[in-house]
Amino acid sequence: MSVLFELPFDLWRRVMSSSVGAEGDGSGHDQDGSDVVDVPLDLVRAVSEMFELGAVLLRWVEGLGQPAFDALRAAPWSGGQADDAAQRQAGRLRLFWDAYASVFGELLQAPGIGPSRELNDTLLRWFGAWLDLSRASSHQAELLARTWLTVQERFPVELLGRSLRGEGPATVRELLGLYMEVAEEAFGETFSTQEYVEAQARAGGTGLAYRLREREVADVLAKVTHLPGPSEVDEAHRNIYELRKEVRSLRRQLLETRAQGTNRAPRPRSAGGGGPGPGPTVSDTVQGDGEKEG
Amino acid sequence: MNSMLGWLNPVTLFREQVEIAKKLCKGAEVLAGIREEELTADTAPKEEVHRDGKMRLFHYLPAVAEPLTTPVVIVYALFNRYYMIDLQPDRSLVRNLLARGLDLYVIDWGYPDGTDRWLTLDDYVNAYIDDCVELLRQRHGVERVNVVGICQGGVSSLCYTALHPEKVKNLVTMVTPVDFHAGRSLVPDWIQAVDVDVAVDALGSIPGEMISLGFLLRSPFERNLRKYMDLIDIADDRDKLLGFLRMEKWIFDSPDCPGEAYRQWIKDFYQENKLIKGEIDLGGRVVDLGGIKTPVLNVYAEHDDLIPKESAAALERYVGTDDYRVCSFPVGHIGMYVSGRVQRDLPRVLSDWLHEHD
């Protein structure tokens, strides 16, 4: 990235210094004639760096445009590589993300600067997570779209087949029922494939990662506004949980101590007895404390 | 009628539309007369006997003068509400078991929220369930109680029995996964690929809606479209419509799952299949299914697309008891609670077995 700015600056500096040097005596030539050689050399360097700059810019443009070229090449009218509608659709879906990732996506990963560095970085990570989510969702949507296409292909075949066998649907509901049957089967097949399982997991995982980044942003904003952030609340919940555990443990110890003291071990009740036998009542044991915990 | 593209017959189409319109009108009339209160499930009389945090232990009032000596505690799954076992009076496992002389208790896990995000399976098994069992031992003056675990609650019950064998007289597992890699089912396949650490770190407690969505997507058209289309057929029947609405309420009444418990459930059980390997660690103690010597009755559904029968039936290979019995029904996962045949046979099987082993 920096080379993009350094090169023209360096170029400008060198050309300007050359021009100033040239204007120094109004002739463009030093007494010893050395500048006669220096000026063309600078120019050669400058021209060479311009080419270098051009190459860098070309690489950027290529990064931005290559996916588009690939997609065009794969398009059906080009007689290219596309062999079905799903592939073309997939190519189009990936076009934006590939182009984006090769240019701005990389830029977003660079460290921030200035006093708002932390907030900016958090926001950028959040944005980056959103990009990942969008990309993963696109892939999942692509697989689902492919499945819809399969359903559209299979349904008329199934309808015709059944009709020829004299088992065609007689009502709209039966027709819809058949459509759903075909769709259920097609989606069931897709849902069972490893590709879909992975795509779904990736979409879910990136969605959750996005949520994590969202929490980070909320934490930063809460800190700025003097409010407890999600992480602090989570920590408080953890403390409450640990205190509850401690209370439960102490309560058990207390009951065991009481039981040992009064020798009230549970006794088997005789068969055919009536209702619940005596023993510590609920309020004696846990209900009271439980209410507090609830 | 069934000729090629016979559905294009305008007379047939017209008749169908008229019939649907009539049913919809009647259905709208019936629906307008139903109120939310009528969907109340869990109507068998009961009393709260214990509470700890969100968890409550209920005692169903016995329906016979002298119920079975050993009380039965039902441990339901964390992901759904326990009232599926008492959805409506004429389809109630609870009422049927009470009528057969069992003294029933049920653990209600409640609706966990952010403060419960750190609860682990160790807390559920060694604290909540153990507290309930301890209370029943004292309340009834017995050494051991009967435990009935359902679905994920069955796994908790297995762990509890393995860790506290001296407190469990008989164990019943219903639609309980044991070998998490056995059989083919979409949900376990999906779970294998889930990054559960990111899920828990990002969400804390896992939203019930998310879990519910996973269940619904395993057959998207059947569970999200066709059942509503078929509703037309029962829309004019008040009782059937009520049954449908009660089920609908249960399906979408999904509590959040505490994050740490969910993390362990997915990683240790589903992804690493540690239960059958004897590697589950709860509170520093290892769960060894081979250590279960109490009588076990394993009930599962043969067409379960959530918990494959191979997964449930695997219990026989790992449990240490000599008194093992299995009972299966030709239904799906939900059918285990609502199917007419199961409602007729399961209570008898359960109560006979528990009476035999009392």
Side-chain angles (χ1 to χ4, degrees), chain B residues 41-53:
Chain B
D42 196 22
T43 53
K46 64 182 190 304
E47 58 178 349
E48 183 183 321
V49 293
H50 173 55
R51 178 189 287 239
D52 186 357

Side-chain angles (χ1 to χ4, degrees), chain A residues 119-235:
Chain A
L119 177 62
N120 288 343
D121 284 354
T122 311
L123 287 171
L124 285 178
R125 278 199 299 272
W126 184 32
F127 185 61
W130 177 79
L131 288 177
D132 289 343
L133 167 63
S134 306
R135 195 168 185 160
S137 304
S138 296
H139 184 216
Q140 190 189 13
E142 173 197 329
L143 296 179
L144 292 173
R146 254 191 234 176
T147 312
W148 276 116
L149 287 176
T150 307
V151 173
Q152 308 319 321
E153 278 171 11
R154 284 186 190 175
F155 176 64
V157 175
E158 185 67 25
L159 180 63
L160 195 64
R162 288 197 188 196
S163 300
L164 288 173
R165 291 196 302 272
E167 299 164 1
T171 63
V172 173
R173 278 187 65 189
E174 282 180 20
L175 181 73
L176 286 173
L178 177 62
Y179 184 82
M180 282 189 241
E181 198 180 304
V182 171
E184 191 85 278
E185 191 186 331
F187 275 88
E189 285 167 15
T190 299
F191 287 171
S192 316
T193 60
Q194 192 57 29
E195 186 185 12
Y196 182 79
V197 170
E198 283 169 11
Q200 181 177 256
R202 209 175 304 119
T206 50
L208 292 163
Y210 170 74
R211 180 71 184 259
L212 263 179
R213 299 303 183 198
E214 190 182 64
R215 275 175 61 116
E216 287 175 7
V217 174
D219 271 332
V220 173
L221 294 176
K223 192 175 157 189
V224 171
T225 49
H226 312 291
L227 289 169
S231 300
E232 278 181 77
V233 173
D234 218 22
E235 192 57 33

Side-chain angles (χ1 to χ4, degrees), chain A residues 172 184 241 267 269 277 282 286, chain B residues 16 49-50 123 139 141 222:
Chain A
V172 173
E184 191 85 278
Y241 161 74
R267 294 182 304 276
R269 197 182 58 169
V282 177
V286 285
Chain B
E16 184 195 20
V49 293
H50 173 55
D123 295 313
R139 191 176 157 91
E222 183 66 36

